[in-house]
Amino acid sequence: MDAQGRGRADDVDPADQWVRNPQTGEYELRLPDAAPHPPRTPGAPGTASRHRPAAPPPGVPAPRTAPAPDGPGVPPPRRRRGAPEEPPGRRGNRPAKKKGPRGRGILLWTGGTTAFLVLAAGTGGYLYLKHLEGNVATADVGDAGSSSFRKDEAFTILVIGTDKRTGAGNEGYGDAGSVGHADTNILLHVAEDRSNATALSIPRDLIVDIPDCPTKLADGTEKVVPGQQGVRFNRSLGESGRDPGCTMRTVEAVTGIKPDHFMMADFNAVKTLTTAVDGVEVCVAHAIDDKESKLHLDAGRTKVEGEQALAFVRTRHSFGNKGDLDRIGVQQQFLGSLMRKMSSGDTLTDPAKLLKLADAATKALTVDSAIGKVGTLKDVALELRKVPTKNISFTTVPVLDNPAEKVPVTVVVNEAEAPALFGLIRDDVSLTEVEQRKKRDKKEEKAAVAARLKGTKADASEVRVRVLNGGAAGGAAQQELNWLQTEAGVTKSENGGNAGTELSKTQLEYGPDQADQARRLADLLGLSGSAMKPGESVTNAQGLPTMTLTLGKDFKGAGVKLNASSAATKVKDKTTADQVTCAS
């Protein structure tokens, strides 16, 4: 019974207690016995409820509320003149709901966010959101990051997984004395238009220069932790008192990309988040029985959660060459699966699961103080929700084995490839779009190449060409010339001698006004469209434009078509490595 004795809170459908605020567009906890009042912006003066809220759904801690300031003398709610008296627990003429899935109104401003990001927005109710805010630890990283979060800008979050042992059951993981190194590192960049995101993994064993790091100590004083040159990236956190701000500064020094914010979690995060969503599906090509990580999986698809999920992302002895780069690939697969699970209908239509997920996610996190408020965390989650999972690209810093090591253990940045990738992320370019553009360009190029063979063909007697030897056997140019003149009717042909360079494949270069001649010669010689190179013609002794045919190492003899074997041979029951087949 509440202070007025108007029925029990648990007699009311929780779905009826969430009311949309027309000013904010969000759903708020509104009590069944609360007097109607104009909607107010959360946090504005006078928004605190005068009544005790109903008990939260299962698994949600009961919020602490202050005593009703007006005591038992609060008047009953008014109703319009002539309107029927409202039954207890109902508002106005709203019809009773059938029992079934509850809390669907919450879903209007809740969705699957990416893994390792909070779902504080997904539970509704100001008091409960404040409870979630109390779960999150914060750290002041100064000017290593941004001082605020803006919803109309691109943003970058450094996600750090530490190897620090906390919580029961984690004694078997990591270094027993670790202060919490940067064990797993993902730089998540979200595009300004929210159409895509890029998750860049940074190997913990990457050799970097750690810059000097201003840090704030627990007592409020500040000190500068000296930098180090030529050390592993994971030492940018924990060692010598380095905080996440130091890891952020190291990321900027290596990539040129300045993280706006950070989110840090330890071993417990994987366990609690996967348990909250009832497991995440992973797939392995072969059975795994890893004594070190205690990972035991059958081949194929398996659902992992809790300890098994942690073992899956921690193991480095069950995949590839048992190194950190292979483990990064496994972690990326896992995170992609976790993202899909968090945004799936099974999660979004289950209020209890959403509440459990929000509580687990916030308890697992330490964030920078700029996003430590529940309202900001909610904004981050809602902005992340806008990114389609199909447009979230996973990639890794391009690296090479450390040349300073006889037996490579660490890696260094691949300076030939990494700057271009860093530039794409820094310039807010979608890697998904880049890949799609590559496929589109390749398809268009293939079509353009095929088009070179289509069109009218000149008569053989009109074809002007000089023949060069660019890798074929000695005398090949003269042999081919003889065949062209005596057998193919290409009488306006000449020997150009050696090309001075070697080609693996025969090539025909021609000017724009000789396309019809090129098509005739390609037909005679069995040239593919890719062997035809639109370019410039040369001038023969008569001052007329002439094509250049350079015989490559693929030349098979005078008069033998280059496509003879492929045209004459048909292979049945052909498969390729990218096809999935089953033994029968």
Side-chain angles (χ1 to χ4, degrees):
M1 298 287 286
D2 64 8
Q4 302 300 320
R6 286 190 291 270
R8 293 171 50 193
D10 55 7
D11 291 333
V12 182
D13 188 336
D16 292 336
Q17 296 180 293
W18 303 97
V19 182
R20 187 174 184 273
N21 185 329
Q23 289 187 351
T24 65
E26 299 175 355
Y27 277 71
E28 302 173 348
L29 182 63
R30 195 70 56 77
L31 303 175
D33 57 345
H37 58 274
R40 294 169 178 164
T41 303
T47 56
S49 172
R50 294 174 178 269
H51 304 279
R52 184 177 304 155
V60 181
R64 296 190 296 271
T65 59
D70 296 336
V74 179
R78 292 183 178 181
R79 54 189 170 90
R80 290 175 295 176
R81 183 175 299 174
E85 185 174 354
E86 296 179 12
R90 293 283 168 197
R91 296 182 307 281
N93 58 359
R94 185 168 176 175
K97 285 181 176 283
K98 293 181 180 180
K99 295 297 182 182
R102 297 181 172 184
R104 293 187 183 275
I106 306 171
L107 304 181
L108 294 178
W109 62 297
T110 287
T113 65
T114 59
F116 42 75
L117 291 164
V118 297
L119 290 183
T123 58
Y126 180 72
L127 292 177
Y128 186 65
L129 289 178
K130 293 301 289 182
H131 158 75
L132 293 179
E133 182 177 299
N135 286 346
V136 182
T138 61
D140 185 352
V141 295
D143 61 1
S146 299
S147 59
S148 62
F149 175 81
R150 296 188 59 177
K151 294 187 285 185
D152 57 350
E153 295 180 344
F155 62 93
T156 304
I157 298 177
L158 177 62
V159 182
I160 306 170
T162 77
D163 59 357
K164 188 174 183 178
R165 293 182 178 183
T166 61
N170 293 324
E171 295 80 6
Y173 299 105
D175 181 0
S178 176
V179 292
H181 296 105
D183 195 52
T184 300
N185 310 278
I186 299 176
L187 189 64
L188 178 68
H189 176 81
V190 180
E192 182 176 357
D193 62 4
R194 308 302 185 247
S195 64
N196 66 90
T198 299
L200 176 70
S201 291
I202 304 173
R204 70 173 190 175
D205 293 331
L206 179 67
I207 296 300
V208 298
D209 291 341
I210 300 174
D212 293 343
C213 300
T215 59
K216 287 192 175 182
L217 304 180
D219 60 5
T221 60
E222 295 186 10
K223 77 168 185 176
V224 175
V225 180
Q228 284 182 284
Q229 286 70 49
V231 296
R232 282 181 168 88
F233 180 90
N234 68 339
R235 294 174 64 179
S236 65
L237 178 69
E239 191 167 305
S240 302
R242 294 189 178 107
D243 65 3
C246 186
T247 308
M248 296 170 73
R249 296 177 195 275
T250 305
V251 168
E252 183 178 9
V254 173
T255 66
I257 304 167
K258 181 175 181 177
D260 296 300
H261 308 285
F262 84 88
M263 291 185 174
M264 183 171 65
D266 55 26
F267 293 135
N268 280 323
V270 173
K271 294 164 64 173
T272 56
L273 287 176
T274 54
T275 300
V277 296
D278 292 339
V280 172
E281 185 179 84
V282 297
C283 184
V284 294
H286 54 82
I288 294 175
D289 186 11
D290 188 345
K291 295 181 180 179
E292 291 195 29
S293 67
K294 300 179 177 62
L295 179 63
H296 307 287
L297 295 177
D298 294 330
R301 299 178 184 273
T302 310
K303 187 173 75 169
V304 296
E305 64 178 282
E307 289 289 345
Q308 278 287 80
L310 179 56
F312 182 80
V313 298
R314 287 284 301 164
T315 184
R316 56 190 298 173
H317 300 285
S318 302
F319 307 104
N321 62 9
K322 303 181 180 181
D324 190 48
L325 296 180
D326 290 302
R327 183 172 67 169
I328 286 175
V330 171
Q331 291 172 346
Q332 291 176 346
Q333 179 212 73
F334 174 84
L335 290 174
S337 183
L338 178 58
M339 289 178 187
R340 292 190 295 273
K341 185 62 178 288
M342 293 172 75
S343 59
S344 69
D346 289 346
T347 300
L348 298 182
T349 56
D350 188 334
K353 188 179 292 185
L354 281 172
L355 295 172
K356 186 165 68 171
L357 180 57
D359 201 50
T362 51
K363 284 180 178 177
L365 288 175
T366 298
V367 303
D368 58 287
S369 54
I371 59 172
K373 296 295 183 182
V374 68
T376 310
L377 289 173
K378 180 199 70 175
D379 289 340
V380 173
L382 291 177
E383 292 305 305
L384 286 161
R385 174 192 171 193
K386 296 176 182 178
V387 182
T389 54
K390 66 178 182 179
N391 290 342
I392 300 175
S393 301
F394 287 96
T395 189
T396 304
V397 172
V399 297
L400 298 170
D401 287 338
N402 189 350
E405 298 173 338
K406 291 183 178 180
V407 179
V409 175
T410 60
V411 293
V412 296
V413 172
N414 183 341
E415 296 297 344
E417 299 179 5
L421 174 60
F422 298 156
L424 290 174
I425 298 173
R426 192 167 51 247
D427 296 338
D428 205 23
V429 176
S430 166
L431 296 194
T432 305
E433 177 59 28
V434 169
E435 189 62 30
Q436 291 173 346
R437 191 183 307 133
K438 286 182 180 178
K439 291 180 180 179
R440 186 166 58 248
D441 291 347
K442 190 174 182 179
K443 185 176 181 180
E444 291 175 354
E445 181 183 359
K446 187 176 181 180
V449 167
R452 295 172 189 169
L453 296 171
K454 297 178 181 179
T456 59
K457 300 180 180 70
D459 189 87
S461 62
E462 298 300 321
V463 174
R464 292 186 298 274
V465 62
R466 65 170 183 159
V467 183
L468 282 69
N469 190 336
Q478 186 60 45
Q479 294 170 18
E480 185 73 346
L481 178 65
N482 294 339
W483 179 83
L484 287 171
Q485 292 180 341
T486 60
E487 301 292 335
V490 183
T491 57
K492 298 178 181 179
S493 52
E494 60 187 61
N495 189 337
N498 289 323
T501 184
E502 288 194 357
L503 299 178
S504 59
K505 294 185 178 181
T506 298
Q507 178 179 285
L508 174 63
E509 183 175 3
Y510 57 95
D513 58 342
Q514 290 187 294
D516 57 343
Q517 296 181 41
R519 286 190 285 269
R520 171 58 66 190
L521 193 59
D523 183 57
L524 291 171
L525 303 181
L527 297 176
S528 65
S530 59
M532 299 171 68
K533 182 181 178 182
E536 297 181 357
S537 56
V538 296
T539 303
N540 64 9
Q542 290 74 39
L544 299 174
T546 301
M547 299 183 295
T548 300
L549 174 68
T550 304
L551 305 179
K553 294 180 179 180
D554 61 342
F555 179 70
K556 301 175 182 179
V560 180
K561 290 192 174 185
L562 291 170
N563 61 355
S565 60
S566 59
T569 306
K570 292 185 178 180
V571 180
K572 294 183 179 181
D573 300 325
K574 179 173 67 70
T575 63
T576 57
D578 62 330
Q579 293 175 310
V580 179
T581 58
C582 298
S584 59

